[in-house]
Amino acid sequence: MSHGQILVVDDEPDIRDLLRDILEDEGYTVRVAEDARAAQQACRQQRPQLILLDIWMPGMDGLALLREWQGGGGLPAPVIILSGHGTIETAVEATRLGAWDFIEKPISLAKLLVTVERALEANQLVRENVRLRHAQAREIEPQGESEMMQALREQFKRLARHDSWVLISGEPGVGKTTFARYLHSLGRRSKGPMIEVGGATLSRRDSAMELFGAEQGELIQYGLLEQADGGILYISEVMDMDQATQGRLLNALESQRFTRIGGRTPIEVDVQIIAASTHDLETAVREGRFREDLYYHLNVVQIAIPSLRDHAQDIPGLLESYVNYFHEAEGLPIRGFTVEAQNFLRHYAWPGNVRELRNLVQRLLILGSTGDVDLDEVRRLLGATPLPRVEEESPPAIYDMPLREAREQFERDYLRRQLLQAGGSMTRLAEQVGMERTHLYRKLRSLGLDPKECKE
């Protein structure tokens, strides 16, 4: 298997042949060009991964070729300059024009091979970073072309012009964290950090140290507030914070200053807060489970993210988007969906919302065969039936229950299905439903569900 494709550009046939033989012996694929024009033609035919370029050639020299490439949109690949009459000025100019390194003739075999290897490794890292940034961009921008999703994105674009505290609400899995990252990417704080933390994490015994950091002699531990300085602190499931932590956080954020645990000097910070919750915080305030003053600070701007059921017309586009994402991010195969499969998924209940759809696509690409995903394959993985339409003459029994009983029945059915998909694993279940494990155990007990019954 080839280690990489290299283009050798040199007007001396003996040097071209020597370099080709050496590099091919090392496992590289090598093409050669005798001058600048031949090099340009070779790059048009097939883009190399590395170019060894002689400086002094008849007609257009190596530096002129570098200038032309830069003027035309950038170098086609990393370039290592070769020169038998190298000067510092030549090396500096070549570096300014984008050359990766400079090797003098007569060429040292050891230096050549080390430089080539490092240049190819560096190029691979650059390409990997580009791929990851592209994949991350897909993850950051919320997907969907329905009027509802377009309006929501516009709302976040307007919101990004301000530093107001933001409360994002919605069912588990609707994409609250994705929208928080989207808001961060749009605003003036995009060059600053976005520190993400769960509300339950901030309710542990060491939560004060987690938030504010600590000092012990010369040893300093930087807390989340300092880490988020100049950027955003995103708190998911803010309802999971205990009231003592709510109070400490509020005091620090109102004054934008605090003192590390064990320290004496006040630390000033500039932090914007984005919080998210699946719970009705207004009800929690009335019941005394959430601080009223913190709620009103968070509720400067509240945005509700709709469930996937409310914009089911986006499902075909989301399926395609996630297929492309997992192909680019994880190298999974590209697969389409039959019309029957898409229609089924558009009418499915999606209790886990966009997160459930994303996980489904990933499983289909990992476990499935080649070809399009059909209805039977979707049914096997979901083990579900489509969402009944509200206008049907015989509504499901759940619609005839009091709200509290209907909610409990839905939660029981939802968590039982998620448990089965997680194979009884509480770790996987917590990730799927977006709940902290302590609260999840409590919820399962209240609903009479036993994870052991769903073990794989």
Side-chain angles (χ1 to χ4, degrees):
M1 182 177 179
S2 173
H3 295 165
Q5 186 180 113
I6 300 174
L7 175 63
V8 177
V9 186
D10 198 299
D11 64 319
E12 298 183 47
D14 291 345
I15 292 181
R16 290 199 306 269
D17 293 342
L18 175 64
L19 291 175
R20 177 166 54 190
D21 291 344
I22 291 170
L23 294 170
E24 285 181 345
D25 285 345
E26 294 297 318
Y28 298 106
T29 300
V30 182
R31 293 186 296 153
V32 296
E34 68 275 9
D35 57 28
R37 294 305 174 198
Q40 291 171 316
Q41 180 63 29
C43 290
R44 276 194 294 270
Q45 291 173 348
Q46 187 173 8
R47 186 175 185 176
Q49 293 173 264
L50 180 67
I51 300 172
L52 300 180
L53 176 62
D54 187 24
I55 284 283
W56 308 114
M57 296 184 294
M60 180 184 291
D61 64 27
L63 290 179
L65 181 57
L66 284 176
R67 291 190 193 96
E68 186 164 310
W69 273 332
Q70 288 288 21
L75 304 182
V79 175
I80 297 174
I81 292 293
L82 309 175
S83 176
H85 310 283
T87 64
I88 293 178
E89 291 79 9
T90 303
V92 169
E93 179 65 7
T95 302
R96 188 187 69 79
L97 292 169
W100 196 85
D101 207 341
F102 191 96
I103 297 179
E104 291 187 74
K105 297 178 181 178
I107 296 169
S108 161
L109 176 59
K111 182 176 181 180
L112 172 70
L113 295 179
V114 168
T115 305
V116 165
E117 183 178 1
R118 289 178 178 171
L120 287 168
E121 288 176 353
N123 186 44
Q124 180 62 30
L125 287 174
V126 169
R127 293 166 65 187
E128 182 71 8
N129 285 337
V130 169
R131 183 186 66 79
L132 289 174
R133 282 199 300 272
H134 184 59
Q136 185 183 44
R138 284 182 176 274
E139 278 286 87
I140 287 176
E141 181 164 355
Q143 303 295 308
E145 296 307 316
S146 63
E147 289 186 11
M148 180 180 293
M149 292 301 291
Q150 290 186 50
L152 198 56
R153 285 195 295 269
E154 287 301 316
Q155 193 173 2
F156 272 83
K157 288 176 183 177
R158 292 193 297 272
L159 187 57
R161 302 171 193 155
H162 309 282
D163 272 353
S164 307
W165 289 23
V166 180
L167 177 60
I168 303 176
S169 60
E171 295 178 6
V174 293
K176 297 184 288 295
T177 299
T178 299
F179 273 98
R181 291 171 182 164
Y182 183 55
L183 181 59
H184 173 247
S185 72
L186 295 171
R188 71 174 183 85
R189 294 177 180 268
S190 60
K191 297 190 182 302
M194 177 173 166
I195 303 299
E196 302 178 18
V197 63
T201 299
L202 297 180
S203 293
R204 298 187 309 207
R205 215 176 302 174
D206 60 349
S207 62
M209 190 178 298
E210 186 98 21
L211 272 174
F212 307 122
E215 295 182 24
Q216 187 175 5
E218 297 299 317
L219 183 63
I220 297 178
Q221 175 184 330
Y222 298 103
L224 294 173
L225 287 173
E226 280 185 272
Q227 294 175 40
D229 186 29
I232 288 172
L233 179 63
Y234 170 65
I235 307 172
S236 62
E237 291 306 333
V238 68
M239 178 68 192
D240 290 342
M241 284 194 300
D242 60 48
Q243 294 216 10
T245 305
Q246 294 173 27
R248 288 195 297 267
L249 180 63
L250 178 61
N251 290 336
L253 293 172
E254 281 184 321
S255 62
Q256 293 281 285
R257 63 165 54 196
F258 61 91
T259 304
R260 300 189 193 105
I261 306 301
R264 296 181 179 179
T265 306
I267 308 297
E268 294 189 359
V269 290
D270 173 24
V271 177
Q272 181 185 6
I273 295 295
I274 302 177
S277 180
T278 58
H279 304 279
D280 182 353
L281 292 186
E282 189 172 357
T283 300
V285 168
R286 287 198 302 268
E287 295 174 352
R289 294 181 291 117
F290 198 81
R291 289 181 63 113
E292 185 176 22
D293 47 5
L294 179 57
Y295 170 70
Y296 285 119
H297 271 82
L298 290 173
N299 204 31
V300 173
V301 179
Q302 181 174 174
I303 299 182
I305 309 301
S307 68
L308 184 55
R309 297 182 298 280
D310 292 331
H311 58 109
Q313 63 268 44
D314 283 324
I315 288 173
L318 287 169
L319 294 171
E320 181 181 1
S321 176
Y322 281 125
V323 166
N324 291 332
Y325 169 77
F326 285 118
H327 174 68
E328 293 173 7
E330 300 182 12
L332 296 177
I334 289 182
R335 304 183 68 194
F337 287 76
T338 66
V339 173
E340 292 81 5
Q342 291 187 46
N343 285 337
F344 178 88
L345 293 173
R346 286 188 64 168
H347 293 87
Y348 174 63
W350 295 113
N353 289 290
V354 177
R355 182 192 294 125
E356 185 181 4
L357 183 144
R358 182 184 189 277
N359 292 343
L360 172 68
V361 171
Q362 187 177 24
R363 290 198 302 274
L364 286 166
L365 299 185
I366 291 173
L367 302 175
S369 57
T370 57
D372 287 349
V373 176
D374 60 21
L375 179 57
D376 289 340
E377 189 174 357
V378 168
R379 283 183 179 275
R380 282 197 303 273
L381 278 187
L382 282 177
T385 54
L387 174 68
R389 295 186 179 278
V390 175
E391 66 267 21
E392 288 178 350
E393 292 183 4
S394 303
I398 193 172
Y399 293 157
D400 297 325
M401 297 179 181
L403 177 59
R404 185 171 181 176
E405 292 179 21
R407 183 170 57 198
E408 287 184 359
Q409 183 62 45
F410 168 75
E411 289 180 342
R412 186 177 294 108
D413 292 343
Y414 168 68
L415 288 173
R416 182 183 290 113
R417 178 174 296 161
Q418 293 291 334
L419 266 170
L420 289 169
Q421 291 180 356
S425 166
M426 290 300 293
T427 299
R428 287 165 57 188
L429 178 64
E431 292 175 355
Q432 287 174 199
V433 304
M435 287 181 68
E436 199 271 333
R437 289 181 63 174
T438 302
H439 296 279
L440 195 51
Y441 275 114
R442 191 180 304 127
K443 172 63 73 174
L444 292 176
R445 282 197 301 271
S446 70
L447 295 172
L449 295 175
D450 184 356
K452 296 177 181 177
E453 297 178 357
C454 302
K455 287 285 186 184
E456 291 177 330

